[in-house]
Amino acid sequence: MLKYLFLSLFVLVSPSCSKSRSHRIAKIPEASGIDYCADSDTLVVANDEGRYYEIDREGEILQKKRLGKYDLEGVACTEKQFIFAVEDKGLLIVNRKTGKKKKIAFDTSYHDKELPLFDKKSGIEGIAKSGEILYLAKQAKKKNDSFIAVVRFDRYHQKIIDLIKPKIADIAGLTIHNHFLYMVSDKKNLLIQYDLKKRKIMKKIKLPKAAQEGVAFDGRGFVYIADDDGYVWKYSVKALE
């Protein structure tokens, strides 16, 4: 039986399970996605208005750039690129060095059925990358309608090869950490650990009530939450290791 691990697991969070300003490290309008860039030891934050921000681990804004009229809902950081999930249009690749943009379209069919990934009302809400695999979370208010598309993503292929159906409503952010897929549910205020090999949820961690839309780990024992209400939060996850 899965146990709900309440906020006391975060050693820096108050027992009252309320958000504390001491954990708020940055104020970013409509923060809708976040990822950790290991090579630069920074975080990239996407927002709904087509901008992205690069911040350090303490929340200082190092740069911000506007990409255009895009509803950015998530971001994955690689050594050379930022890969943004655009809710109703697909993927936008940005070269980290030059800023050059490239739109990517791919086959959204799976087993001869077209998947409604790109939708103005309930499109892609989260993205994570591991090697040549992308994970794209489809927004759904009902748990039985939610899914994560597993996409082979290399120079030769952009194709859905699998579906994950965690039965969690409103999956709004994804990340990979220690070989687990983590997701946040905005509606349920949860951080969920999913075992990709066992294809099952391992942990559910209750979060403070907020508009969680992104999650990232820095590999140093901290987790960062992008809050669509305009903030980035930082918590310790020592108790989860």
Side-chain angles (χ1 to χ4, degrees), residues 35-44 54 77-78 81-82 96:
D35 200 19
Y36 174 66
C37 303
D39 62 317
S40 57
D41 194 28
T42 59
L43 297 130
V44 56
E54 193 166 1
C77 183
T78 73
Q81 300 172 325
F82 296 135
R96 290 177 62 182

Side-chain angles (χ1 to χ4, degrees), residues 139-151:
Q139 184 184 44
K141 298 300 181 182
K142 297 180 180 180
K143 65 180 183 179
N144 289 333
D145 294 333
S146 73
F147 65 82
I148 297 168
V150 182
V151 180

Side-chain angles (χ1 to χ4, degrees), residues 11-199:
V11 298
L12 294 183
V13 179
S14 66
S16 66
C17 293
S18 62
K19 292 185 292 185
S20 167
R21 287 190 178 183
S22 64
H23 306 296
R24 189 174 71 193
I25 63 168
K27 188 174 182 179
I28 294 176
E30 298 185 76
S32 56
I34 189 169
D35 200 19
Y36 174 66
C37 303
D39 62 317
S40 57
D41 194 28
T42 59
L43 297 130
V44 56
V45 184
N47 97 327
D48 288 347
E49 299 174 340
R51 293 185 177 87
Y52 74 85
Y53 300 72
E54 193 166 1
I55 65 175
D56 67 17
R57 293 187 301 106
E58 303 307 316
E60 180 180 351
I61 296 175
L62 305 176
Q63 67 164 325
K64 68 176 180 178
K65 291 188 177 180
R66 178 170 172 78
L67 297 175
K69 194 174 181 180
Y70 298 104
D71 186 358
L72 305 178
E73 290 294 343
V75 59
C77 183
T78 73
E79 189 175 332
K80 296 181 179 180
Q81 300 172 325
F82 296 135
I83 306 174
F84 293 96
V86 184
E87 183 174 23
D88 58 342
K89 294 180 180 178
L91 303 177
L92 182 69
I93 311 297
V94 177
N95 186 294
R96 290 177 62 182
K97 185 176 181 179
T98 66
K100 186 177 180 180
K101 299 179 292 185
K102 179 172 63 174
K103 295 179 183 179
I104 297 290
F106 61 89
D107 185 359
T108 57
S109 63
Y110 180 66
H111 288 180
D112 298 322
K113 182 180 180 181
E114 191 73 17
L115 296 179
L117 267 177
F118 309 129
D119 185 273
K120 288 186 177 181
K121 293 184 178 180
S122 57
I124 297 175
E125 282 290 307
I127 182 172
K129 189 175 189 296
S130 178
E132 294 180 344
I133 300 297
L134 280 182
Y135 299 89
L136 302 174
K138 161 76 173 181
Q139 184 184 44
K141 298 300 181 182
K142 297 180 180 180
K143 65 180 183 179
N144 289 333
D145 294 333
S146 73
F147 65 82
I148 297 168
V150 182
V151 180
R152 181 168 296 282
F153 188 79
D154 57 40
R155 62 183 299 182
Y156 303 109
H157 308 92
Q158 293 88 42
K159 184 177 180 180
I160 298 170
I161 59 172
D162 196 8
L163 288 183
I164 296 171
K165 296 185 177 181
K167 293 188 177 181
I168 298 290
D170 205 6
I171 298 171
L174 299 175
T175 195
I176 299 287
H177 177 61
N178 288 344
H179 307 293
F180 289 101
L181 177 65
Y182 283 84
M183 55 193 88
V184 287
S185 169
D186 184 7
K187 183 177 181 179
K188 298 295 184 179
N189 299 305
L190 289 175
L191 173 63
I192 299 112
Q193 183 194 64
Y194 183 88
D195 190 312
L196 291 165
K197 290 184 177 180
K198 296 180 179 179
R199 300 182 69 92

Side-chain angles (χ1 to χ4, degrees), residues 2-18 23 182 189-193 202-208 217 221-223 234-241:
L2 292 171
K3 292 184 178 179
Y4 281 78
L5 303 178
F6 288 91
L7 201 58
S8 58
L9 288 177
F10 291 110
V11 298
L12 294 183
V13 179
S14 66
S16 66
C17 293
S18 62
H23 306 296
Y182 283 84
N189 299 305
L190 289 175
L191 173 63
I192 299 112
Q193 183 194 64
M202 305 303 292
K203 294 178 182 177
K204 293 180 180 179
I205 301 127
K206 194 70 177 178
L207 296 173
F217 293 82
F222 292 93
V223 62
K234 178 180 180 179
Y235 303 107
S236 168
V237 291
K238 186 180 293 185
L240 298 179
E241 300 295 334

